[in-house]
Amino acid sequence: MLPAVHRLTTPSDFRTTVRRGVRISRRTMVVHAHLSDVPPTRVGFVVSKSVGNAVVRNRVKRRLRHLARPGVETSPPVSVVVRALPAAASRPAELPGDFASAWSEALERLGVRP
C-alpha cells in the first residue's frame, strides 16, 4: 500500500496531471506525469470497467501500486496518473516492464532524474 502522502486523491489533482503533463503510452497502460511544486511524489490510478469486473480491477490496481512504490520513494516531486488499459488484466507479465519503461521515460521527458 502507498502511504497517504504519496496518493493523488482529489479530482482536480488528477485533472491537472492529465491535462498539463506528459503522456507515455504502453500496451498495458498510459502514464501521465506532471512536475509538482511541492514534494513528495504522488501517484493516482485509474482502472475503468473496460479492464474487467471489480475483482480484476482491484487486482490490477494492487499490482500497479506495488510497482509504483519504489519509484515514489526515489524520484523527485512529480504527480503521476497511471491509467490501466484492458491489456493490463490479460497480460500481467508485461506490467513490470511497461511500468518501468513508462516511468523512466516520463521522468526523462520532464527533464528530471531519479
Side-chain angles (χ1 to χ4, degrees):
M1 190 93 182
L2 285 174
V5 296
H6 291 294
R7 284 185 248 154
L8 283 178
T9 54
T10 64
S12 63
D13 290 340
F14 277 84
R15 195 174 320 120
T16 301
T17 303
V18 170
R19 289 184 180 171
R20 296 186 183 166
V22 298
R23 184 182 75 196
I24 312 301
S25 297
R26 295 292 182 261
R27 179 182 286 216
T28 57
M29 69 188 72
V30 177
V31 174
H32 300 270
H34 177 63
L35 283 175
S36 178
D37 300 337
V38 182
T41 295
R42 297 180 323 159
V43 182
F45 302 97
V46 178
V47 184
S48 71
K49 285 186 177 181
S50 66
V51 173
N53 64 22
V55 173
V56 172
R57 291 193 311 266
N58 285 323
R59 184 180 304 131
V60 169
K61 277 188 277 190
R62 281 193 308 270
R63 287 178 176 150
L64 290 172
R65 276 196 306 264
H66 175 75
L67 294 171
R69 190 174 180 110
V72 164
E73 296 168 352
T74 61
S75 55
V78 292
S79 295
V80 179
V81 172
V82 179
R83 184 168 47 94
L85 299 176
S90 61
R91 302 173 184 265
E94 292 181 20
L95 276 177
D98 284 355
F99 185 83
S101 69
W103 185 276
S104 62
E105 185 177 336
L107 292 180
E108 253 180 53
R109 286 175 69 185
L110 289 173
V112 294
R113 292 282 178 187

